[in-house]
Amino acid sequence: MTENIIEVSELWKVYSKKDINFNVEDEDMIESLDVSGDSVVAVRNVSFSVKPGEVFIVMGLSGSGKSTLIRCLLRLVDISWGSVRINGQEITAMNKRELTEFRRHQAAMVFQHYGLLPHKTVIENVAFGLKLRGVPKKERRERAAETLKIVGLEKWDNYYPASLSGGMRQRVGIARALVADTPLLLMDEPFSGLDPLIRREMQEELVRIQEELHKTIFFVTHDLDEAMRLGDRMAVMKNGEIVQIGKPPEVFANPADDYVARFVQDKREEIRKTDEQMAALATQPEKAVNNDVS
């Protein structure tokens, strides 16, 4: 196994209405793209690595570039410049056939909006990727059934997606990714569309699954609580750049700049208010006793 599952170096992604011959060394070109109404620099000179078994969180506000970044890893969008290596393989050098095979065997992705096939049952949805690989029907159904047990949906195997709640559908999406048994799991804000209680349950479910399977997970979110609960390390993005990488408690305690500080400010305030409320509650029994004595 390689030292790092993911290695990204000097990655750029530019969306443009016009065809451009992008050159990262052409500073005048980059400056013109920044002020142009026809182009958007969505990912800007990003470099990082992810170790095996690590949960790596990428977070930022809407428009920060985090969703574009995760799509660049599998070349779901074309890369303008830079290098992406996953499990020792150079993604940017692959042709279409090689890229298709890589996606089927090396990385699985969980999207925000489930992406389930409505005309197929739960177990058929989970097994669909194995079908594309050419895995025999009996084997793929057995593997799908085992994976449904992992996510707690073994009794729902023959239901259709329309019969499931949002949280259950997302469990199916996770099972579909897990059954592929790939070294890397990519998750693009998978819980953001769920109600708060269900979202918390899904986070706890992912923690439990990770303790059992030890996957390498690249997880995109805009939620600081989610990042702190799930992540081993996190990267904070702003305007296409990574402005800080570190363990979640380190980022929270020592923000690198004003942007990151504002990002964690609400959480700091929430903790402060909670501490004040707990301190106030701690004094209540003593007051009650004093009142009884008087």
Side-chain angles (χ1 to χ4, degrees):
M1 182 178 289
T2 58
E3 181 180 352
N4 295 312
I5 290 291
I6 301 176
E7 294 179 341
V8 174
S9 178
E10 298 180 351
L11 182 67
W12 292 73
K13 172 57 186 175
V14 178
Y15 293 105
S16 179
K17 296 178 182 178
K18 302 176 181 179
D19 292 334
I20 58 173
N21 185 19
F22 183 76
N23 182 356
V24 71
E25 297 175 356
D26 188 339
E27 295 181 3
D28 291 337
M29 169 183 280
I30 295 174
E31 185 176 347
S32 68
L33 292 173
D34 285 332
V35 299
S36 170
D38 296 326
S39 304
V40 175
V41 182
V43 175
R44 183 187 303 264
N45 197 26
V46 164
S47 299
F48 65 91
S49 61
V50 179
K51 297 179 176 61
E54 184 175 31
V55 180
F56 188 85
I57 304 288
V58 175
M59 65 177 305
L61 301 176
S62 297
S64 62
K66 57 189 185 300
S67 289
T68 297
L69 176 58
I70 195 173
R71 282 160 171 74
C72 285
L73 298 184
L74 293 184
R75 275 177 55 194
L76 297 177
V77 297
D78 291 330
I79 294 170
S80 302
W81 187 279
S83 171
V84 176
R85 296 181 67 84
I86 297 180
N87 217 18
Q89 301 183 60
E90 180 60 58
I91 306 304
T92 46
M94 292 180 178
N95 59 37
K96 289 184 178 180
R97 181 185 61 81
E98 292 169 336
L99 189 57
T100 297
E101 284 302 302
F102 177 86
R103 290 170 179 166
R104 288 178 178 174
H105 296 275
Q106 296 298 319
M109 190 159 180
V110 180
F111 295 93
Q112 179 178 344
H113 298 295
Y114 321 132
L116 304 183
L117 301 172
H119 60 286
K120 292 186 178 293
T121 63
V122 165
I123 196 167
E124 289 171 340
N125 266 281
V126 173
F128 188 69
L130 299 179
K131 181 179 181 180
L132 294 178
R133 285 188 189 177
V135 175
K137 183 176 181 179
K138 183 175 184 294
E139 180 184 346
R140 66 177 184 255
R141 287 187 69 89
E142 288 175 350
R143 288 173 60 178
E146 286 300 314
T147 308
L148 284 173
K149 290 181 182 179
I150 294 175
V151 300
L153 289 178
E154 64 270 24
K155 296 181 180 179
W156 294 83
D157 54 349
N158 290 317
Y159 285 79
Y160 288 89
S163 303
L164 276 57
S165 67
M168 294 168 74
R169 292 180 195 179
Q170 196 58 281
R171 286 172 188 256
V172 178
I174 293 173
R176 184 176 53 189
L178 291 176
V179 75
D181 196 25
T182 58
L184 176 62
L185 184 60
L186 306 173
M187 308 185 79
D188 187 13
E189 300 201 59
F191 309 144
S192 63
L194 303 176
D195 293 335
L197 181 59
I198 299 176
R199 181 172 186 157
R200 179 60 183 260
E201 291 175 352
M202 291 303 303
Q203 292 167 358
E204 292 172 352
E205 184 73 6
L206 183 62
V207 170
R208 183 190 64 79
I209 291 171
Q210 179 64 356
E211 289 174 350
E212 180 178 345
L213 300 181
H214 307 290
K215 291 286 184 180
T216 304
I217 301 177
F218 187 91
F219 192 104
V220 169
T221 183
H222 64 269
D223 187 293
L224 182 61
D225 283 333
E226 192 163 71
M228 295 187 70
R229 185 173 296 124
L230 300 178
D232 295 311
R233 284 191 303 145
M234 62 182 284
V236 183
M237 293 191 72
K238 175 188 178 184
N239 296 334
E241 297 180 286
I242 290 179
V243 295
Q244 186 170 2
I245 294 180
K247 295 181 179 180
E250 294 172 351
V251 175
F252 180 75
N254 301 295
D257 59 16
D258 290 342
Y259 172 78
V260 182
R262 290 195 301 271
F263 217 105
V264 303
Q265 182 177 359
D266 288 345
K267 186 61 180 176
R268 289 175 180 270
E269 183 66 15
E270 179 184 327
I271 292 174
R272 184 188 66 79
K273 289 181 178 179
T274 300
D275 289 343
E276 289 179 352
Q277 292 170 354
M278 294 300 293
L281 287 172
T283 64
Q284 287 182 3
E286 182 179 349
K287 289 181 180 179
V289 170
N290 290 340
N291 290 337
D292 288 343
V293 172
S294 63

